[in-house]
Amino acid sequence: MSTPKVSVVVPVYDPGVHIEELIASLLRQTMAAGEFEVIFVDDGSTDGTGERLDALAAAHAHISVVHIPNSGWPSRPRNIGIERARGEYVQFADNDDWFGDEALQRLYAYAKENDTDVVIGKMAGRGRGVPKELFRRNHPRATLATAPLIDSLTPHKMFRRSFLMDHGLRFPEGKRRLEDHVFVTAAYFLAERISVLSDYVCYFHVARPDASNAGFRPFDPAGYFGNLREALDIVDAHTEPGALRDRLHRRWLRVEMVGRLTAPRYRDAPAAWRDEFFAEVRSALAERFAPGVAAGLAAPQRAVVALVEQDRPDAVRDLARWESAVRVKASARVTGELEITATGELFGPDGPLTFLHTEGGDSLSPPVTGVSAEVLDVTARLKSARMDVLVRRRGGGGEEFVLPATVTVERVAVAPLAPGASGAPGAPGAFRVVHRTVARLAPEAINAGRNAGRWEVKARVISCGWTKETELSLSLTMADGSPPVLREGAGAPLLVRVKRRVRRVLAR
């Protein structure tokens, strides 16, 4: 029996109908069935999935199923898949996600072209966050020092099997959190070469409608932060104190600590759990994060850290509510053949978001007290602020691509109110930031030319630690062999807009 090019390993537990998208995508792969294998490891499913997979394996020689007693978490099934795999490369997938049709063929070709140990394919999220800056361009040779790899710690990547075996890389087993962080972080440090394929969407990361994905389940704060410390230990074992270690640690501070403290799930959780989680954040912050870690965060995130250090959980919640109302408003016109000109700015709860300029620089003015001007400084962040124009496939899996563009930023002074006038007054030195972007549509660069269908056109402002986006009143239709059609005045359908508005309100 010939050696497969790729082994796809899928841990499975009670996915019900949610596994069907994955199965269909595996059967659609452009890589020949004889060139890859699929190993489903059924972790004691009780919903009939085991029988469904047995029937699938009986019909397709390149698909196999391993049945094991329930282990309670994906690590053991993944490790069994590694041991069973025969492929030159191993690709992990979850049972509620799916692949782009050309994913395995493109990822394997890119791995061979670059002789790489780890290949990360562009992801699209449906209800789940995925890295954005990492997938802005291809990275044939990426390192933790030269690319934002640390933003991608899920296991949905392609690994050279001999690399996994030579280094004994396995997922920590048992019911625990962040097992993928431990595995992937170690792999990043041990790999001789890592590549990132960004010009085609390879993997669709999906949130179930019932929020029953493993990552959405309730957890014990103490255990969670014990697992988080394991990931930090790996970074510390491979770096010296300094800028690189601080930048890598910053990912956990930003996402797992500040991000969770400001999320609706935290704000809406029972008070006792919130108190326990806050205490664990405060303890980990004091024990494991050097001053340079928080110093490199954006101002809103630094403010949260300052409030945690001051032991002010109520102030953190107030700041989070204010932040949840920050949004972008933008408009756009078609200004040339395949050219879009967009204008937009950030808005807060009371209107356009304003900043303050003093002799010391530019600063943010959130509705909290006791936070220093240094913490709220946004001088450097405003210099790098930008508004991207991107396209996102309508009705698909969330594929999105940033268009090449020229961006400009204008500071607009906010004048004090005249006597007797109404509205929000401008403080001395107050100003708004208005973004203007001229984007060019390049169809061949959108999903490697596999772009037939209807696409939303969106504006995304990246400023001061925020990434906010909105749909523009434009429509884009592309078809094989025909010029793209770009029209004004056609955004999302009314029902879609209403649903999005409801989600934004509930998120506050």
Side-chain angles (χ1 to χ4, degrees):
M1 184 179 295
S2 60
T3 300
K5 294 177 178 179
V6 179
S7 297
V8 181
V9 172
V10 187
V12 178
Y13 179 71
D14 282 1
V17 298
H18 300 289
I19 199 172
E20 296 301 330
E21 290 274 17
L22 173 65
I23 291 172
S25 73
L26 289 167
L27 296 178
R28 290 196 305 267
Q29 289 300 300
T30 54
M31 177 177 278
E35 295 182 336
F36 73 100
E37 64 175 354
V38 182
I39 304 170
F40 290 103
V41 183
D42 177 27
D43 195 32
S45 290
T46 62
D47 65 348
T49 297
E51 292 79 2
R52 165 74 173 101
L53 294 177
D54 287 339
L56 184 71
H60 300 278
H62 66 302
I63 296 176
S64 64
V65 186
V66 180
H67 298 279
I68 65 172
N70 181 250
S71 68
W73 213 249
S75 292
R76 178 159 178 73
R78 288 181 185 134
N79 289 339
I80 290 173
I82 292 173
E83 298 297 333
R84 296 268 185 147
R86 297 181 299 111
E88 184 180 354
Y89 283 85
V90 177
Q91 169 73 49
F92 295 104
D94 285 345
N95 59 201
D96 30 33
D97 299 337
W98 73 81
F99 291 99
D101 293 357
E102 300 176 22
L104 299 184
Q105 180 180 3
R106 286 176 176 271
L107 287 167
Y108 179 78
Y110 202 61
K112 297 297 287 184
E113 176 185 346
N114 294 291
D115 190 25
T116 191
D117 291 323
V118 183
V119 188
I120 308 169
K122 182 180 177 76
M123 302 174 72
R126 291 192 65 179
R128 303 193 73 158
V130 298
K132 292 180 170 60
E133 287 304 308
L134 177 63
F135 298 126
R136 189 175 283 271
R137 64 177 180 85
N138 286 345
H139 299 266
R141 299 187 179 187
T143 70
L144 286 165
T146 62
L149 294 174
I150 202 66
D151 289 344
S152 179
L153 294 178
T154 65
H156 315 116
K157 300 166 176 57
M158 188 174 282
F159 299 85
R160 198 195 309 260
R161 184 173 182 273
S162 61
F163 164 72
L164 299 179
M165 303 307 287
D166 290 348
H167 292 283
L169 278 171
R170 299 295 186 274
F171 292 88
E173 297 189 9
K175 287 189 176 182
R176 49 157 297 142
R177 289 281 175 158
L178 306 182
E179 76 287 344
D180 45 358
H181 290 205
V182 171
F183 178 90
V184 174
T185 301
Y188 283 159
F189 279 110
L190 294 170
E192 292 187 10
R193 188 167 297 167
I194 302 168
S195 301
V196 182
L197 178 65
S198 301
D199 58 8
Y200 178 84
V201 176
C202 298
Y203 193 85
F204 296 85
H205 199 28
V206 182
R208 291 193 197 176
D210 58 2
S212 61
N213 309 73
F216 289 130
R217 297 172 192 163
F219 59 86
D220 167 54
Y224 182 84
F225 279 93
N227 299 151
L228 186 148
R229 286 175 172 88
E230 292 178 51
L232 298 178
D233 288 342
I234 294 172
V235 174
D236 291 355
H238 291 87
T239 61
E240 296 296 328
L244 177 59
R245 179 183 291 185
D246 287 352
R247 183 164 66 79
L248 299 180
H249 279 193
R250 194 171 297 133
R251 185 266 172 219
W252 283 278
L253 177 58
R254 185 184 75 246
V255 178
E256 309 303 332
M257 298 165 69
V258 172
R260 288 187 180 273
L261 283 174
T262 55
R265 284 176 180 271
Y266 173 80
R267 301 199 307 270
D268 298 338
W273 188 91
R274 289 201 313 268
D275 291 344
E276 185 179 356
F277 186 83
F278 188 90
E280 291 292 341
V281 169
R282 196 159 183 257
S283 174
L285 181 63
E287 293 173 11
R288 296 303 301 264
F289 294 90
V293 180
L297 292 172
Q301 298 154 357
R302 290 198 305 268
V304 172
V305 171
L307 295 172
V308 170
E309 292 173 334
Q310 296 170 20
D311 196 15
R312 298 171 60 192
D314 291 342
V316 169
R317 295 180 73 195
D318 290 342
L319 179 59
R321 288 192 188 94
W322 175 78
E323 272 203 270
S324 70
V326 175
R327 63 202 186 281
V328 59
K329 291 187 177 182
S331 60
R333 297 175 295 118
V334 177
T335 51
E337 185 178 4
L338 304 184
E339 180 184 273
I340 300 166
T341 298
T343 303
E345 66 179 303
L346 292 176
F347 277 65
D350 303 316
L353 196 64
T354 59
F355 304 86
L356 294 178
H357 178 73
T358 64
E359 292 182 1
D362 303 323
S363 64
L364 193 64
S365 299
V368 292
T369 60
V371 180
S372 70
E374 180 182 6
V375 167
L376 297 175
D377 184 85
V378 293
T379 305
R381 293 276 180 164
L382 284 181
K383 289 179 180 177
S384 61
R386 61 181 291 126
M387 183 175 72
D388 289 329
V389 173
L390 58 138
V391 294
R392 181 181 175 96
R393 192 187 295 274
R394 192 182 297 282
E399 306 105 303
E400 64 179 35
F401 293 86
V402 177
L403 303 181
T406 301
V407 299
T408 56
V409 177
E410 180 185 5
R411 298 159 69 106
V412 180
V414 178
L417 284 178
S422 61
F431 65 95
R432 300 157 40 212
V433 175
V434 178
H435 299 266
R436 184 174 183 271
T437 301
V438 180
R440 295 167 297 283
L441 189 63
E444 69 282 355
I446 298 174
N447 210 32
R450 309 301 194 267
N451 52 34
R454 298 176 63 228
W455 295 75
E456 303 171 358
V457 185
K458 310 186 82 171
R460 175 185 293 156
V461 172
I462 304 167
S463 177
C464 301
W466 291 306
T467 300
K468 303 291 183 178
E469 62 184 45
T470 187
E471 187 169 356
L472 298 169
S473 294
L474 299 173
S475 68
L476 171 64
T477 303
M478 292 185 282
D480 295 336
S482 302
V485 178
L486 184 63
R487 290 195 179 100
E488 295 182 5
L494 176 60
L495 182 58
V496 173
R497 297 199 303 271
V498 170
K499 288 181 177 179
R500 289 173 181 167
R501 175 62 179 168
V502 170
R503 285 197 297 267
R504 284 197 300 269
V505 171
L506 292 177
R508 299 175 189 175

